[in-house]
Amino acid sequence: MTAISFEFFPPKTDEQRDGLERTVRALKPRMPEYVSMTFGAGGSTLSYTVDAVRNLHGAHGLDAAPHLSCMGGTREEIRALLDDYRALGVHRIVALRGDLPSGMASFGDFRYASDLVAFIRAETGAHFHIEVACYPEVHPQAEDAQADLVHFKRKVDAGANGAITQYFYNADGYFRFVDAARRLGVDAPIVPGVMPIANFSQLKRFSEMCGAEIPRWLSRRLGAFGDDVDAIREFSADVVAALCRQLVAGGAPGLHFYTLNRAKPTEAILERL
Ligand code: FAD
């Protein structure tokens, strides 16, 4: 059976907390290998991420992996966070650079995610299983695809155990990326990040920011549904489930779902698999 994992973002209000609670209860029976909790750039969600991880780990008994982005952070801050996570019994981390929030002038003590991975290994040895991010459609700030790939390898060489990709809707791009990484000597598992489609205009906005491509045919079809939310849900669940099938058939070692704290779009895909 293919391993699956779910990504959530930390709730800040009681309403959001209740919503996440319902989502976690709905998705838990799918037996995720682990669940992950994002981290706001520049530490903007720090205490929320820690609280949410404590809840997923303590109250739900899930293997909860906090994301840790180093942009703007100091060694002391990251060290303290690693200590907190160890004390909570966490043994998996998603290590990222993050993006410089507007108004924040300094990178902090770490320039790239590879520096963070090296720091986590130096500080905590083999305690944490470390996942990093990678980009089959190329990170928007990379000089070019090959340089991005070499930078990805740097993170694995620094001690990452595995990688989760940015989301995409083109399986060939993923397979070619994995082949290129293997040729470069990267043998860590590369798990596709899967973005269910619930809200087309939100997806368009996200995709422009992070450099993920929505194929023209998909964009045109989704656009044609207008405000018919049910039709968008059905159609996009079919499309994304077909993508997942293709990925798994082609050897993807797992599927990581970006749930955006909503159960239904992810469930609709899982039901089809
Ligand atoms: P890096 O690996 O450091 O790469 C960033 C850029 O620098 C790339 O263009 C790379 O090619 C380049 N680069 C790397 N090393 C070098 C070098 N030595 N010399 C020159 N260039 C180099 N963001 C958050 O803020 N919080 C989250 O919780 C979060 N979760 C994410 C989860 C996943 C699965 C993914 C795919 C992304 C997530 N992000 C998150 C977004 C991520 O922080 C951004 O994509 C960010 O811009 C890059 O982070 P990174 O860890 O890939 O950075």
Side-chain angles (χ1 to χ4, degrees), residues 24 149 264:
V24 171
L149 196 59
K264 279 195 179 139

Side-chain angles (χ1 to χ4, degrees), residues 7 38-41 67 69 95-99 112-114 133-135 139 141-143 147-148 151 154-155 164-166 258:
E7 180 172 312
T38 64
F39 183 90
H67 293 208
S69 49
L96 303 141
R97 185 198 69 175
D99 293 301
Y112 297 110
S114 52
C134 63
Y135 303 84
H139 185 267
Q141 290 157 5
E143 303 96 294
D148 205 28
H151 298 147
R154 232 183 261 268
K155 295 192 273 194
I164 307 167
T165 74
Q166 183 58 277
Y258 296 108

Side-chain angles (χ1 to χ4, degrees), residues 9-21 48 261:
F9 64 84
K12 293 184 176 173
T13 63
D14 286 344
E15 194 185 342
Q16 286 180 354
R17 260 183 286 278
D18 291 347
L20 177 60
E21 202 57 30
Y48 298 109
N261 290 9

Side-chain angles (χ1 to χ4, degrees), residues 51-263:
D51 288 348
V53 164
R54 185 182 291 114
N55 182 48
L56 290 173
H57 191 80
H60 289 284
L62 289 163
D63 185 359
H67 293 208
L68 185 49
S69 49
C70 57
M71 180 66 86
T74 65
R75 276 168 215 284
E76 288 67 35
E77 285 164 355
I78 303 280
R79 188 178 289 124
L81 207 43
L82 293 171
D83 287 346
D84 288 349
Y85 284 136
R86 274 209 285 195
L88 282 180
V90 167
H91 62 89
R92 192 189 271 266
I93 274 188
V94 184
L96 303 141
R97 185 198 69 175
D99 293 301
L100 202 61
S102 55
M104 187 179 271
S106 158
F107 286 112
D109 287 347
F110 303 89
R111 187 70 199 264
Y112 297 110
S114 52
D115 303 329
L116 176 63
V117 174
F119 181 76
I120 298 173
R121 281 285 172 250
E123 290 286 315
T124 64
H127 178 84
F128 290 106
H129 177 105
I130 305 176
E131 303 283 349
V132 290
C134 63
Y135 303 84
E137 294 179 347
V138 186
H139 185 267
Q141 290 157 5
E143 303 96 294
D144 56 51
Q146 187 58 23
D148 205 28
L149 196 59
V150 169
H151 298 147
F152 166 45
K153 181 176 188 298
R154 232 183 261 268
K155 295 192 273 194
V156 177
D157 291 345
N161 303 96
I164 307 167
T165 74
Q166 183 58 277
Y167 67 87
F168 55 84
Y169 297 102
N170 175 355
D172 282 347
Y174 166 78
F175 291 128
R176 285 186 182 276
F177 177 81
V178 173
D179 285 349
R182 300 291 178 245
R183 279 199 301 275
L184 207 62
V186 174
D187 55 11
I190 299 174
V191 173
V194 178
M195 180 68 93
I197 305 170
N199 179 329
F200 181 42
S201 43
Q202 188 188 46
L203 179 73
K204 270 201 292 195
R205 259 199 329 277
F206 271 2
S207 303
E208 273 158 26
M209 281 190 308
C210 70
E213 186 180 63
I214 310 175
R216 181 180 158 83
W217 67 269
L218 179 56
S219 176
R220 297 299 290 255
R221 289 292 303 273
L222 287 168
F225 288 119
D227 294 331
D228 189 345
V229 179
D230 291 339
I232 292 179
R233 271 208 197 114
E234 285 297 302
F235 171 75
S236 56
D238 288 345
V239 169
V240 180
L243 172 69
C244 292
R245 250 181 250 119
Q246 205 184 343
L247 291 168
V248 171
L255 297 169
H256 180 79
F257 288 89
Y258 296 108
T259 70
L260 303 181
N261 290 9
R262 300 174 64 181

